[in-house]
Amino acid sequence: MQGALCCYTKALKLTDSQADSAVLYRNRSACYLKLEEYSKAEADASKALDTDPGDVKARFRRAQAYQKLGRLDQAFLDTQRCAQLEPKNRAFQDLLRQLGAQIQQKLNSTDARVQQMFSMAAQNLVVLSRDEGGAEQIFRNDGVKLIQKLLSSKQEDVVLSGLRTLVGLCTGHQSRTMAIVNELGMEQLCAVMGSAASTVSLAACHLLQVMFEALTEGMKREIRGKDEAILPEPSKELRSMLRHLLEMIPAQNVSGPGRDSAINLLVKQVPRKSLKNPDNSLSLWVIDQGLKKILQVAGTVAELSEGPPLTENTHMSCSVLLSKLYDDLKSDKERENFNKLCEEYVQEHFRRSGLDGKLRAIQTVSVLLQGPSDVGNITLEMSGMMDAVISLCASEDVTHQQVAVEALIHAAGKAKRASFITANGVALLKDLYKKSENDRIRVRALVGLCKLGSAGGTDFSMKQFAEGSTLKLAKQCRKWLCNESLPPTSRRWSVEGLAYLTFDADVKEDLVEDKNALLAMFDLAKSEDKTVLFAVGSTLVNCTNSYDVEKPDPQLVELAKYAKQHVPEEHPKDAPSFVEKRLGKLLEAGVVSALVCMVKQESPALTEACREFIARVFLALVDRQEDRGPLVAQGGGKALIPLATDNTDIGKVKAAQALAKIAITSNPEIAFPGERIYEVVRPLVNLLHLECTLLQNFESLMALTNLAGISERLRQKIIKEKALPKIEGYMFEENELVRAAATECMCNLVLSTEVQKLFVATGNDRLKLLVLYCGEEDERLRKAAAGTLAMLTAEQPELCPRIPGTTTHWLEIFQALLLSEISDLRHRGVVIVQNMMQAEKGLAEALMESEALEILTVLAKGGEGAVDPVSKVAQNCLNKAVEYGIIRSREDGIEKEKGKGTEP
């Protein structure tokens, strides 16, 4: 059995197929069951089920493992599912009976029964609260008092049920939320969020988020319901909630995850959602009431005895909050006040006697440099600050060194400062890297060297260090990244180093060739250490060359060379062929699953800049058509939707363009199943903007064409998003491809009655444009216009008599369609002619008196073999003419009538 276990383990390392991995995990689970390693058996069976939830064998093995682990409820559910899938399997039925007996025996004790009943009651409240009627019943029958007792329970699942019930009560309901905040009190809710249990803390954070949304949305409504009309504005409750969150930040009795949740809520709720909103009073209030509290946590050095408990993410969360508050300020006066408060705090601690105060000041500067960097730079330039940083780098105390080296790294952000540190600090960093016996210091010193070595960016000619030095630094970064014996923070710092060094194309090439390093980086991206997200995103943007590069005008380049000015040079390995190979290597290593996990992270560390990085990488990954299907299968399509709505302006465009590429070449109903397909429409419509490139316009139109052809509901969604005027505008675009794509989109949209009415309405040239486009040279445009006209004349026959009035050349245009060598154009042409003839006898006479009669006669004969749809429709046209009495049918062909409706 041990031999089989080893074989399955080796096979798992060799395969890249998810389906094969699922089978191997299932089989290895069986080995672990035989070896009585039940936790590992359960883990492997769960991995198999993640890939294939319908795998009965894997589910049965997990049930067996659960039974041995004493998790009888979960074992029963799995076995029940197996029995539903295979009702005649005796093994499943036997295990069900065993588990039923064991569960009954467990429930025989009074305490167990009471606990079970209490837990079930709490779960029932959760279910009831999800329905508006049920939520109102709970609220009106003193349910909040019962929930208050649930929140005081020592059982984690009971507390979670209480929190989830409150979410149901508060969602979208301002009056209930205000009453609950006042009845429960923010002290209790914050105490629950400050819990050491991470699941409870996150659930409480989600509840407070829902409460904030209910209160703020209520303030925006102009008309309130009857119950809400007598209530005051919720600003009092909002300020109370924010005050308690600020008090949580420096509190000693709050857990690290609870503190991060409080900061996260402030990041989401305080700054303005749009700078168009002139009211930034909430940010000013938080700065006035809580900036020093935030700086107190920012300056906490975890290794020292004093200070509240922190997580690996706390300092980064503080940086994000400080940055958000600073960016929300409107005037120089407000920014000067912010700078003054930060300077005063840093000076107060820096001037204290002893090292603790200086360390706190330096740590605060580090956090500021990562957040509002302008403020960080001001504090860094304080008298004696840089000297203290340099001297502490040489300290024998590891904690002192760590704080100082990190500050030095963050200080090297600007080229000017990087040059100063290159001249004064490189020797010190090299010394630390080579001589320090502590890996924490060595990896940070290495990152400092990496940052200084990349100061030239992507400019091949601007390198700070000697040839080959960056490759050596990158090799050491990859080595530390793959060393699982190092703590996650040290490994995270090695990714930071790669984020700087991957400006160099040689480093990019080496990284993508090192699959172990890529896998280690992706594992870190999926880990609980959220501070690594920005570094991973930055590294991937560099490797995929998905940053924006403006190609300089060749004439200006020549002038610059003549004037002996510096001209940036592109590395030869940044050519498109190299980039394409790098993208392939990243996809093979599993970059999509890492990006999907990064998007799902609920953390301030997932900043808008980080989200933009992810959107850029996704856009690069979908560039090749053959890569789009696998990307969607791994959840890439789903992950792009939130990136297209919550991002920087550039990030939204990049994510929307990636969605467009997927919707063009994949079946949108498969790529975006269920309701998700309707969420794709708005990002695509947003690409129909003059500030977007013609390529982005074109791809958006192509994607919307596919969506418009699926269902009336989707067409209505496109219309509701006000896309129609934009699409019509692009029908006049000079670029042939864009003009044709817009017309194709309109071709599918005219299936909607609402769009048809626009063409029926008088006083516009919509119909004329279609007729004229049917006579253009561009084949694609002619097909689209003719297809649109064919559908319109079929659905709205009243349009047919108006066609001759659009242009005097209408007969020549339709005759050219009938004579076209392209079968699609001929087919569209005969359908238009048929619709016109059926609409009015006068139109039929005009057509039959032209060369159209002769053309239709030839088309009606068709070719040999299968029935040609063109010949069938052409024959219908002739039959209609016979019916009108315009022509008569003879055995040897068609003959015009000599007199209207009379025998010759």
Side-chain angles (χ1 to χ4, degrees), residues 98-127:
Q98 286 177 33
L99 289 166
Q102 288 175 329
I103 290 169
Q104 189 61 44
Q105 186 179 358
K106 186 178 178 182
L107 292 175
N108 278 340
S109 72
T110 305
D111 289 346
R113 284 203 303 272
V114 171
Q115 186 177 335
Q116 186 79 4
M117 288 171 66
F118 197 54
S119 184
M120 287 176 66
Q123 285 294 330
N124 289 338
L125 279 176
V126 176
V127 175

Side-chain angles (χ1 to χ4, degrees), residues 557 559-568:
V557 170
L559 282 171
K561 287 180 179 177
Y562 180 75
K564 296 183 179 179
Q565 297 292 317
H566 173 69
V567 178

Side-chain angles (χ1 to χ4, degrees), residues 171-185:
T171 301
H173 205 291
Q174 184 199 33
S175 58
R176 279 205 300 257
T177 303
M178 289 176 70
I180 288 167
V181 170
N182 287 314
E183 189 169 345
L184 287 179

Side-chain angles (χ1 to χ4, degrees), residues 157-177:
D157 59 334
V158 172
V159 177
L160 287 170
S161 296
L163 292 168
R164 287 164 185 161
T165 304
L166 286 171
V167 168
L169 295 179
C170 295
T171 301
H173 205 291
Q174 184 199 33
S175 58
R176 279 205 300 257
T177 303

Side-chain angles (χ1 to χ4, degrees), residues 295-296 299-301 307 345 349 356-364:
L295 293 174
Q296 187 178 334
T300 299
V301 181
Y345 180 86
H349 289 279
D356 283 2
K358 287 182 171 53
L359 287 168
R360 179 176 281 277
I362 293 169
Q363 179 60 52
T364 307

Side-chain angles (χ1 to χ4, degrees), residues 203-397:
C205 179
H206 176 58
L207 168 62
L208 288 171
Q209 175 75 20
V210 167
M211 286 179 160
F212 272 116
E213 287 171 0
L215 294 175
T216 52
E217 287 301 314
M219 289 178 72
K220 292 175 187 174
R221 292 179 192 149
E222 293 180 5
I223 301 170
R224 302 183 179 199
K226 291 179 182 177
D227 291 340
E228 296 174 281
I230 58 170
L231 289 172
E233 288 287 343
S235 54
K236 175 189 161 190
E237 283 75 13
L238 281 169
R239 292 289 169 99
S240 171
M241 292 170 75
L242 291 173
R243 185 179 289 108
H244 280 89
L245 290 176
L246 288 172
E247 287 171 0
M248 277 185 74
I249 290 177
Q252 294 279 356
N253 61 342
V254 174
S255 68
R259 196 177 324 283
D260 288 353
S261 294
I263 296 170
N264 195 5
L265 282 168
L266 290 168
V267 168
K268 289 180 178 178
Q269 297 304 323
V270 175
R272 292 170 291 169
K273 300 295 183 289
S274 169
L275 294 179
K276 292 177 183 177
N277 175 12
D279 183 14
N280 68 339
S281 58
L282 215 51
S283 289
L284 295 174
W285 183 83
V286 168
I287 290 168
D288 182 53
Q289 299 290 320
L291 181 58
K292 289 192 176 179
K293 293 182 174 72
I294 300 165
L295 293 174
Q296 187 178 334
V297 175
T300 299
V301 181
E303 287 77 3
L304 300 178
S305 56
E306 294 181 5
L310 309 179
T311 69
E312 297 293 345
N313 305 308
T314 306
H315 283 143
M316 177 59 76
S317 298
C318 286
S319 293
V320 174
L321 177 55
L322 290 165
S323 182
K324 290 277 186 182
L325 292 172
Y326 188 74
D327 291 343
D328 203 39
L329 301 178
K330 295 189 297 183
S331 66
D332 289 341
K333 186 178 179 181
E334 290 173 356
R335 282 184 279 273
E336 283 171 13
N337 179 57
F338 190 98
N339 291 340
K340 182 184 173 186
L341 290 171
C342 292
E343 277 188 88
E344 286 175 356
Y345 180 86
V346 172
Q347 280 182 347
E348 178 190 342
H349 289 279
F350 189 70
R351 289 173 180 171
R352 285 181 183 175
S353 59
L355 279 177
D356 283 2
K358 287 182 171 53
L359 287 168
R360 179 176 281 277
I362 293 169
Q363 179 60 52
T364 307
V365 171
S366 274
V367 171
L368 287 168
L369 285 166
Q370 291 176 84
S373 56
D374 290 343
V375 184
N377 283 323
I378 290 168
T379 55
L380 189 68
E381 288 166 4
M382 286 168 47
S383 176
M385 181 64 72
M386 205 64 198
D387 292 335
V389 170
I390 297 289
S391 63
L392 282 172
C393 283
S395 170
E396 293 182 2
D397 187 292

